[in-house]
Amino acid sequence: MLHPPHQSLQVAAVPQQRVPVGDRDQDAPWHTEAVCRRDEAGLFFAPSKEPTAARLAREAAAKRVCARCPVMVECREHALLQPEPYGVWGGLTAAERRVVLARRRRREVELKKAARAVAAAG
Ligand code: SF4
């Protein structure tokens, strides 16, 4: 797992997977514009033994931060591609990312099946 963007991306060696968005500096790594770079409230990662209600409230607060982040798309894709196993990234919790990844895998399988069917039909 790489360092999370929320605190240590300033020093982390994160792959520069960037998707051009708007007027952003296209030469800068996406995480330089992360609004969570200084997560002083500790919103993005669970402390140990966090009660469920507290976790849900913390994750909702983290998602509100993500919703106003200019690099949400890049962050989400980074977390899905790694994949990042913990924390809120790109507005998704780890559980939500697992669901997205499972959907992508199912879709890939369906597309391969469809391609084979088309090829077999000649
Ligand atoms: S989308 Fe959320 S987790 Fe990702 S960089 Fe922005 S604020 Fe941080």
Side-chain angles (χ1 to χ4, degrees):
M1 185 179 90
L2 297 174
H3 294 275
H6 323 298
Q7 290 179 325
S8 51
L9 268 183
Q10 292 108 332
V11 295
V14 173
Q16 298 187 8
Q17 302 156 347
R18 293 181 292 113
V19 177
V21 176
D23 298 331
R24 291 208 344 258
D25 176 0
Q26 299 304 304
D27 295 326
W30 64 267
H31 52 77
T32 60
E33 298 186 45
V35 299
C36 62
R37 288 183 63 175
R38 300 179 69 82
D39 174 30
E40 281 133 7
L43 291 178
F44 293 85
F45 288 88
S48 62
K49 299 182 181 175
E50 183 179 40
T52 300
R55 176 180 56 79
L56 293 173
R58 178 185 52 73
E59 288 174 345
K63 288 179 177 189
R64 285 194 295 275
V65 175
C66 294
R68 62 183 173 80
C69 180
V71 292
M72 188 170 79
V73 172
E74 295 91 331
C75 175
R76 181 176 293 183
E77 280 307 306
H78 161 84
L80 290 167
L81 289 171
Q82 286 304 312
E84 295 289 354
Y86 306 110
V88 173
W89 294 71
L92 296 178
T93 64
E96 291 166 338
R97 290 194 301 278
R98 286 193 292 275
V99 170
V100 170
L101 288 171
R103 280 193 195 132
R104 284 186 180 180
R105 281 192 293 271
R106 278 197 300 274
R107 182 162 168 71
E108 267 179 40
V109 168
E110 288 166 9
L111 287 172
K112 283 180 184 168
K113 276 187 197 170
R116 279 197 299 270
V118 167

